[in-house]
Amino acid sequence: MEKFLEEAKASSRVLAQLSGAQKNRILRQMAQALRDNTQAIVEANELDIAEAEVNNLSSALKDRLLLDAKRIEAMATAVEEIAALKDPVGRVLEGWVTEDGLKIEKVSIPIGVIGIIYESRPNVTSDTAALSFKSANVCVLKGGKEAQHSNEAIAKVLRDVLKQNDLPEALISLLPDASREGVAKLIKMDKYVDLIVPRGGEALIRYVSENATVPVVKHDKGQCHTYIDEDADIQKAVAIALNAKVQRPGVCNAMETLLVDQAIADEVLPQLKEAFDAVHTQLKGCEATRMIIEAEEASEEDFDTEYLANILNIRVVEGVEGAIDHIIRFGSGHSEAIITENITTAEKFLNSIDAAAVYVNASTRFTDGGAFGFGAEVGISTNKLHARGPMGIEGLTTYKFKIYGSGQIRQ
């Protein structure tokens, strides 16, 4: 492990010498290589899907795992979009001259070596590798064992492009020891690794956060809510709620709990039930909800559960204050939304909710690096320091001060 990480650290010096144009050219080659190797990647993914069937993985997990030609094309497009972004490294963020005549520049630089731990979704391999390369960071990737064949196939395609350009393959690598013990070693290798980004299940996040000596930017669980206010456009509210839950239930920005203002509960809940029944959503409701529509009983534990499946909690609340109280209690700081035509209420919600992304009249499904214009994301940070929300290339940089003098000494 130590020799592997030492090589990764050393390779960062090579990456630092590449110009923005060189990085972009190589990224475009990687995108095309993904397209050219679609069949090989699909065949590797079929091995993972077959194992998922044997291991009885949920339909949501299998959806996250699946790669087909369309999804591989989306991966390639994401890499091209990352190539088209402005180079985040070497930018002068601020500059000034002190009373002593020192010229000081605050300049963006890469973080260094980034360990990224993730589960299920093999497209994360190409997304995070491309973001890291663009921002001149070396990445050490540890994907979930359920996507091992897919991740290896994707990483091979990207590393072959590095090799063709006479660059160290260590710039993009999979952690050689993918066991729990391997992860335990990685997150303590602060001599070689500068940042750990865990994205996955709640247990993984907790384990890494509690045991790492390397700094961590965590991607906590996506306990996302949508609140339908008494001044909501009902037709708009139903469409947004439906999208937030069922467009892709197995992802972190999908809604897990729907909050409904008691003032319009009798009117909107039957319409919501009709819409969700049509897509076979399992509904769990509070007592007030179940007095209006048929639903299973929702426990307090349910309201604290990230289902990542086509299951939805519903709670009737007393206005926006009730919604805010519920979100403060159960929210994870990821993404929250209000549906209302009342500007004052919308602003109250925006200012009261402490989350990485807070929406008015839009689906929480937009909390995504691609949707935000970042090309892709390393993760969605629920931290408050360094990076928050979808973490694109800007979140993969830090800064240093360059100071130019002319012989000054401090008196």
Side-chain angles (χ1 to χ4, degrees):
M1 174 73 77
E2 189 162 350
K3 187 177 186 302
F4 164 77
L5 292 174
E6 188 176 2
E7 290 178 359
K9 187 80 169 178
S11 70
S12 65
R13 294 194 293 271
V14 177
L15 186 52
Q17 302 305 312
L18 295 181
S19 68
Q22 287 174 309
K23 289 187 292 184
N24 293 340
R25 174 179 57 79
I26 292 167
L27 284 168
R28 288 191 291 270
Q29 289 177 9
M30 289 179 177
Q32 188 56 47
L34 288 170
R35 295 189 178 98
D36 293 343
N37 288 276
T38 294
Q39 186 59 36
I41 296 171
V42 167
E43 288 175 0
N45 182 251
E46 287 173 350
L47 296 175
D48 291 326
I49 293 295
E51 291 180 9
E53 295 286 356
V54 171
N55 294 322
N56 294 315
L57 293 190
S58 69
S59 57
L61 282 176
K62 284 186 284 189
D63 175 66
R64 290 162 70 92
L65 181 60
L66 177 67
L67 289 179
D68 54 21
K70 183 178 179 181
R71 287 189 177 180
I72 294 170
E73 173 60 33
M75 288 161 53
T77 299
V79 174
E80 289 174 335
E81 290 172 349
I82 291 166
L85 297 172
K86 291 182 180 179
D87 196 324
V89 176
R91 294 183 299 117
V92 178
L93 306 175
E94 293 182 73
W96 64 95
V97 178
T98 69
E99 291 181 359
D100 296 311
L102 295 173
K103 180 185 176 184
I104 300 178
E105 292 181 348
K106 182 180 179 181
V107 182
S108 62
I109 63 170
I111 290 173
V113 177
I114 302 176
I116 303 167
I117 305 169
Y118 52 101
E119 299 173 345
S120 301
R121 292 168 59 188
N123 66 293
V124 175
T125 301
S126 58
D127 284 355
T128 55
L131 286 167
S132 298
F133 187 81
K134 174 78 175 188
S135 55
N137 289 290
V138 175
C139 62
V140 176
L141 308 175
K142 195 284 177 190
K145 62 182 180 181
E146 66 279 3
Q148 181 177 347
H149 297 97
S150 304
N151 291 334
E152 288 176 351
I154 294 166
K156 182 181 184 305
V157 169
L158 303 180
R159 286 160 63 88
D160 283 349
V161 173
L162 293 175
K163 191 175 180 180
Q164 291 161 17
N165 285 275
D166 297 319
L167 292 172
E169 293 180 63
L171 294 176
I172 299 172
S173 56
L174 297 179
L175 187 68
D177 182 356
S179 67
R180 185 180 180 89
E181 291 74 22
V183 171
K185 289 179 184 178
L186 173 68
I187 63 178
K188 292 185 181 295
M189 287 288 185
D190 43 69
K191 181 178 179 181
Y192 305 107
V193 181
D194 299 288
L195 181 69
I196 294 290
V197 182
R199 47 182 293 176
E202 188 176 357
L204 169 67
I205 305 298
R206 186 184 304 112
Y207 174 78
V208 173
S209 299
E210 291 176 354
N211 291 279
T213 58
V214 180
V216 175
V217 172
K218 66 180 180 179
H219 177 152
D220 214 339
K221 68 178 181 179
Q223 200 64 26
C224 304
H225 301 77
T226 300
Y227 164 60
I228 301 177
D229 182 58
E230 67 174 325
D231 294 318
D233 177 318
I234 302 300
Q235 185 176 358
K236 185 187 297 181
V238 172
I240 291 171
L242 194 66
N243 178 266
K245 178 71 259 184
V246 307
Q247 195 261 343
R248 198 169 179 187
V251 292
C252 63
N253 55 22
M255 172 182 64
E256 302 292 9
T257 295
L258 179 63
L259 305 172
V260 178
D261 193 329
Q262 64 180 8
I264 58 166
D266 287 329
E267 177 184 1
V268 72
L269 282 176
Q271 296 182 50
L272 288 164
K273 179 169 174 55
E274 181 180 356
F276 282 113
D277 281 352
V279 290
H280 311 293
T281 303
Q282 180 182 346
L283 299 179
K284 296 186 177 185
C286 67
E287 183 178 352
T289 297
R290 295 168 65 237
M291 291 178 66
I292 301 171
I293 62 171
E294 184 179 345
E296 298 176 22
E297 183 177 0
S299 66
E300 290 299 285
E301 183 179 352
D302 288 329
F303 287 113
D304 197 37
T305 299
E306 183 184 24
Y307 294 116
L308 298 175
N310 194 15
I311 305 169
L312 178 66
N313 301 317
I314 303 177
R315 170 166 275 173
V316 174
V317 295
E318 295 184 18
V320 69
E321 289 290 353
I324 292 168
D325 288 345
H326 179 98
I327 293 169
I328 288 173
R329 179 178 177 188
F330 293 103
S332 61
H334 194 296
S335 301
E336 313 292 0
I338 181 174
I339 316 302
T340 186
E341 301 301 309
N342 187 312
I343 296 174
T344 302
T345 304
E347 287 299 321
K348 182 180 183 68
F349 187 87
L350 287 171
N351 294 331
S352 300
I353 295 299
D354 183 14
V358 190
Y359 294 84
V360 176
N361 295 330
S363 168
T364 57
R365 282 286 290 114
F366 285 104
T367 305
D368 172 85
F372 275 30
F374 300 161
E377 69 197 27
V378 174
I380 299 176
S381 171
T382 52
N383 282 22
K384 293 188 180 181
L385 298 179
H386 179 67
R388 197 176 195 197
M391 187 175 170
I393 53 173
E394 299 294 337
L396 294 179
T397 63
T398 182
Y399 57 83
K400 68 181 177 185
F401 294 99
K402 293 183 177 180
I403 302 98
Y404 301 87
S406 54
Q408 289 91 333
I409 59 173
R410 186 163 182 174
Q411 302 297 324

